[in-house]
Amino acid sequence: AQSVTQLGSHVSVSEGALVLLRCNYSSSVPPYLFWYVQYPNQGLQLLLKYTSAATLVKGINGFEAEFKKSETSFHLTKPSAHMSDAAEYFCAVGSGGSYIPTFGRGTSLIVHP
Amino acid sequence: EAGVAQSPRYKIIEKRQSVAFWCNPISGHATLYWYQQILGQGPKLLIQFQNNGVVDDSQLPKDRFSAERLKGVDSTLKIQPAKLEDSAVYLCASSLVSQGSYEQYFGPGTRLTVT
């Protein structure tokens, strides 16, 4: 069984500030982990993924995430927020073999000028 | 390359009516998924196809929902009869293969409102 917990349904930051979106996972096998972004009235777009290679994963738009097995975490960060980063962010976990993905409830990122 | 296409983008129906959604995945993607995304929640998998066969439909309410992918390409999701709690965005996604390391590509979704 696998599950994802995203801490905080809403995160508010000022433009230029650090962005930190938290994701903890539970998986009985080595996981594959993903972060997706969803802009209003659009589908989900992949930001980055972890597939057991480097633990620090760099994605699009300046985002990165670090896989920490000891903490079962995969938090998403960006050094400096931009107004265009305002969106809903979803963490997801998969596993090897037949892929039955599990998504978190999402975190809404609000960026203030 | 063209993305995942879905239609219609919006649909409003009354309860007990029927509705159908269409999805055309990225060319060459063998795996197709239908998700239900209720406002304020993450996507919930309804059904997963591998080519034209069903891999997992354990969360599909089969008394009212049905889905098919007859030729292993595009797919249709139907609800009959609709209930108020079916109001949601229905997302279609595809991936190259059905393995956990492969990311999914999502369509824009169909927003269904049941009144």
Side-chain angles (χ1 to χ4, degrees), chain A residues 32-56:
Chain A
Y32 299 112
L33 294 159
F34 305 83
W35 275 100
Y36 287 86
V37 61
Q38 186 177 34
Y39 298 102
N41 299 315
Q42 294 186 27
L44 280 70
Q45 178 186 4
L46 182 72
L47 276 177
L48 49 81
K49 67 176 181 179
Y50 166 77
T51 57
S52 75
T55 56
L56 182 62

Short mmCIF file of all heavy atoms in Angstrom, two decimals, chain A residues 32-56:
data_model
loop_
_atom_site.label_atom_id
_atom_site.label_comp_id
_atom_site.label_asym_id
_atom_site.label_seq_id
_atom_site.Cartn_x
_atom_site.Cartn_y
_atom_site.Cartn_z
N TYR A 32 8.61 5.57 -6.45
CA TYR A 32 8.87 6.62 -7.42
C TYR A 32 8.02 7.81 -6.97
O TYR A 32 6.86 7.65 -6.61
CB TYR A 32 8.47 6.19 -8.83
CG TYR A 32 9.24 4.99 -9.32
CD1 TYR A 32 8.61 3.76 -9.50
CD2 TYR A 32 10.59 5.07 -9.59
CE1 TYR A 32 9.31 2.65 -9.94
CE2 TYR A 32 11.31 3.97 -10.03
CZ TYR A 32 10.65 2.76 -10.20
OH TYR A 32 11.35 1.67 -10.64
N LEU A 33 8.59 9.00 -7.00
CA LEU A 33 7.90 10.17 -6.47
C LEU A 33 7.85 11.27 -7.52
O LEU A 33 8.80 11.47 -8.28
CB LEU A 33 8.61 10.67 -5.21
CG LEU A 33 8.55 9.70 -4.04
CD1 LEU A 33 9.65 9.99 -3.05
CD2 LEU A 33 7.19 9.77 -3.36
N PHE A 34 6.74 11.96 -7.52
CA PHE A 34 6.50 12.99 -8.53
C PHE A 34 5.93 14.24 -7.88
O PHE A 34 5.22 14.17 -6.88
CB PHE A 34 5.47 12.50 -9.56
CG PHE A 34 5.81 11.19 -10.22
CD1 PHE A 34 5.51 9.99 -9.60
CD2 PHE A 34 6.40 11.17 -11.47
CE1 PHE A 34 5.81 8.78 -10.21
CE2 PHE A 34 6.69 9.96 -12.09
CZ PHE A 34 6.40 8.77 -11.46
N TRP A 35 6.22 15.37 -8.47
CA TRP A 35 5.52 16.61 -8.19
C TRP A 35 4.90 17.10 -9.50
O TRP A 35 5.59 17.19 -10.52
CB TRP A 35 6.45 17.69 -7.63
CG TRP A 35 6.67 17.62 -6.16
CD1 TRP A 35 7.74 17.10 -5.50
CD2 TRP A 35 5.79 18.12 -5.15
NE1 TRP A 35 7.58 17.24 -4.15
CE2 TRP A 35 6.40 17.87 -3.89
CE3 TRP A 35 4.56 18.78 -5.17
CZ2 TRP A 35 5.81 18.23 -2.68
CZ3 TRP A 35 3.97 19.13 -3.97
CH2 TRP A 35 4.61 18.86 -2.74
N TYR A 36 3.60 17.42 -9.40
CA TYR A 36 2.87 17.98 -10.53
C TYR A 36 2.35 19.35 -10.15
O TYR A 36 2.05 19.62 -8.98
CB TYR A 36 1.68 17.10 -10.91
CG TYR A 36 2.01 15.79 -11.59
CD1 TYR A 36 2.30 14.66 -10.84
CD2 TYR A 36 2.00 15.69 -12.97
CE1 TYR A 36 2.58 13.45 -11.46
CE2 TYR A 36 2.27 14.48 -13.60
CZ TYR A 36 2.57 13.38 -12.84
OH TYR A 36 2.85 12.18 -13.45
N VAL A 37 2.20 20.22 -11.13
CA VAL A 37 1.59 21.53 -10.93
C VAL A 37 0.33 21.63 -11.77
O VAL A 37 0.27 21.08 -12.89
CB VAL A 37 2.59 22.67 -11.29
CG1 VAL A 37 3.00 22.61 -12.76
CG2 VAL A 37 1.97 24.03 -10.97
N GLN A 38 -0.68 22.27 -11.21
CA GLN A 38 -1.94 22.46 -11.93
C GLN A 38 -2.33 23.92 -11.88
O GLN A 38 -2.62 24.45 -10.80
CB GLN A 38 -3.04 21.59 -11.32
CG GLN A 38 -4.35 21.62 -12.10
CD GLN A 38 -5.40 20.69 -11.51
OE1 GLN A 38 -5.48 20.49 -10.30
NE2 GLN A 38 -6.24 20.11 -12.38
N TYR A 39 -2.35 24.55 -13.03
CA TYR A 39 -2.82 25.93 -13.13
C TYR A 39 -4.33 25.92 -13.32
O TYR A 39 -4.90 24.92 -13.76
CB TYR A 39 -2.12 26.64 -14.29
CG TYR A 39 -0.62 26.74 -14.09
CD1 TYR A 39 0.25 25.88 -14.76
CD2 TYR A 39 -0.08 27.67 -13.21
CE1 TYR A 39 1.61 25.94 -14.57
CE2 TYR A 39 1.30 27.74 -13.02
CZ TYR A 39 2.13 26.87 -13.70
OH TYR A 39 3.49 26.93 -13.50
N PRO A 40 -5.01 27.00 -13.00
CA PRO A 40 -6.47 27.04 -13.09
C PRO A 40 -7.00 26.58 -14.44
O PRO A 40 -6.48 26.99 -15.49
CB PRO A 40 -6.79 28.51 -12.82
CG PRO A 40 -5.66 28.98 -11.96
CD PRO A 40 -4.45 28.25 -12.47
N ASN A 41 -7.98 25.70 -14.39
CA ASN A 41 -8.65 25.18 -15.58
C ASN A 41 -7.72 24.44 -16.54
O ASN A 41 -7.98 24.38 -17.75
CB ASN A 41 -9.34 26.32 -16.34
CG ASN A 41 -10.40 26.99 -15.48
OD1 ASN A 41 -11.17 26.31 -14.82
ND2 ASN A 41 -10.41 28.30 -15.47
N GLN A 42 -6.67 23.87 -15.98
CA GLN A 42 -5.76 23.08 -16.80
C GLN A 42 -5.50 21.73 -16.16
O GLN A 42 -5.81 21.52 -14.98
CB GLN A 42 -4.41 23.82 -16.99
CG GLN A 42 -4.52 25.10 -17.78
CD GLN A 42 -3.15 25.69 -18.07
OE1 GLN A 42 -2.14 24.99 -18.14
NE2 GLN A 42 -3.13 27.01 -18.26
N GLY A 43 -4.95 20.81 -16.93
CA GLY A 43 -4.57 19.52 -16.38
C GLY A 43 -3.27 19.62 -15.60
O GLY A 43 -2.69 20.71 -15.47
N LEU A 44 -2.82 18.51 -15.07
CA LEU A 44 -1.59 18.49 -14.29
C LEU A 44 -0.38 18.41 -15.22
O LEU A 44 -0.41 17.72 -16.24
CB LEU A 44 -1.59 17.28 -13.34
CG LEU A 44 -2.38 17.40 -12.04
CD1 LEU A 44 -3.87 17.42 -12.31
CD2 LEU A 44 -2.02 16.28 -11.09
N GLN A 45 0.68 19.09 -14.83
CA GLN A 45 1.92 19.10 -15.59
C GLN A 45 3.05 18.64 -14.69
O GLN A 45 3.17 19.11 -13.56
CB GLN A 45 2.20 20.52 -16.12
CG GLN A 45 3.50 20.66 -16.89
CD GLN A 45 3.80 22.11 -17.25
OE1 GLN A 45 3.07 23.02 -16.88
NE2 GLN A 45 4.87 22.31 -17.99
N LEU A 46 3.89 17.74 -15.18
CA LEU A 46 4.98 17.22 -14.37
C LEU A 46 6.04 18.30 -14.13
O LEU A 46 6.52 18.95 -15.06
CB LEU A 46 5.63 16.03 -15.07
CG LEU A 46 6.77 15.37 -14.30
CD1 LEU A 46 6.22 14.61 -13.10
CD2 LEU A 46 7.55 14.42 -15.21
N LEU A 47 6.40 18.48 -12.85
CA LEU A 47 7.49 19.38 -12.47
C LEU A 47 8.81 18.63 -12.40
O LEU A 47 9.83 19.09 -12.91
CB LEU A 47 7.23 20.01 -11.10
CG LEU A 47 6.36 21.25 -11.00
CD1 LEU A 47 6.20 21.62 -9.53
CD2 LEU A 47 6.95 22.41 -11.80
N LEU A 48 8.78 17.48 -11.72
CA LEU A 48 9.98 16.68 -11.56
C LEU A 48 9.59 15.30 -11.03
O LEU A 48 8.47 15.10 -10.57
CB LEU A 48 10.98 17.35 -10.60
CG LEU A 48 10.45 17.86 -9.26
CD1 LEU A 48 10.35 16.74 -8.25
CD2 LEU A 48 11.36 18.97 -8.72
N LYS A 49 10.57 14.36 -11.12
CA LYS A 49 10.31 13.03 -10.60
C LYS A 49 11.58 12.42 -10.04
O LYS A 49 12.70 12.74 -10.49
CB LYS A 49 9.74 12.12 -11.69
CG LYS A 49 10.71 11.79 -12.82
CD LYS A 49 10.08 10.80 -13.80
CE LYS A 49 11.05 10.44 -14.92
NZ LYS A 49 10.47 9.44 -15.86
N TYR A 50 11.42 11.57 -9.06
CA TYR A 50 12.50 10.80 -8.46
C TYR A 50 12.30 9.34 -8.82
O TYR A 50 11.23 8.77 -8.58
CB TYR A 50 12.49 10.96 -6.94
CG TYR A 50 13.37 9.95 -6.25
CD1 TYR A 50 14.75 10.10 -6.23
CD2 TYR A 50 12.81 8.83 -5.65
CE1 TYR A 50 15.56 9.15 -5.63
CE2 TYR A 50 13.61 7.88 -5.04
CZ TYR A 50 14.97 8.05 -5.03
OH TYR A 50 15.77 7.11 -4.44
N THR A 51 13.38 8.74 -9.39
CA THR A 51 13.27 7.33 -9.79
C THR A 51 14.49 6.55 -9.33
O THR A 51 14.99 5.70 -10.05
CB THR A 51 13.11 7.20 -11.30
OG1 THR A 51 14.24 7.84 -11.95
CG2 THR A 51 11.84 7.84 -11.78
N SER A 52 14.98 6.82 -8.13
CA SER A 52 16.07 6.09 -7.46
C SER A 52 17.45 6.41 -7.99
O SER A 52 18.38 5.67 -7.72
CB SER A 52 15.83 4.58 -7.50
OG SER A 52 16.10 4.06 -8.78
N ALA A 53 17.60 7.47 -8.73
CA ALA A 53 18.94 7.92 -9.14
C ALA A 53 19.40 8.96 -8.12
O ALA A 53 19.47 8.66 -6.95
CB ALA A 53 18.89 8.47 -10.56
N ALA A 54 19.71 10.15 -8.52
CA ALA A 54 20.15 11.19 -7.60
C ALA A 54 19.03 11.56 -6.64
O ALA A 54 17.87 11.65 -7.03
CB ALA A 54 20.59 12.43 -8.37
N THR A 55 19.39 11.79 -5.37
CA THR A 55 18.36 12.12 -4.39
C THR A 55 17.89 13.57 -4.50
O THR A 55 16.78 13.88 -4.09
CB THR A 55 18.87 11.88 -2.97
OG1 THR A 55 20.06 12.64 -2.77
CG2 THR A 55 19.17 10.41 -2.75
N LEU A 56 18.71 14.43 -5.07
CA LEU A 56 18.29 15.81 -5.32
C LEU A 56 17.88 15.90 -6.79
O LEU A 56 18.69 15.71 -7.68
CB LEU A 56 19.42 16.79 -5.01
CG LEU A 56 19.08 18.27 -5.19
CD1 LEU A 56 17.97 18.69 -4.24
CD2 LEU A 56 20.32 19.13 -4.98
#
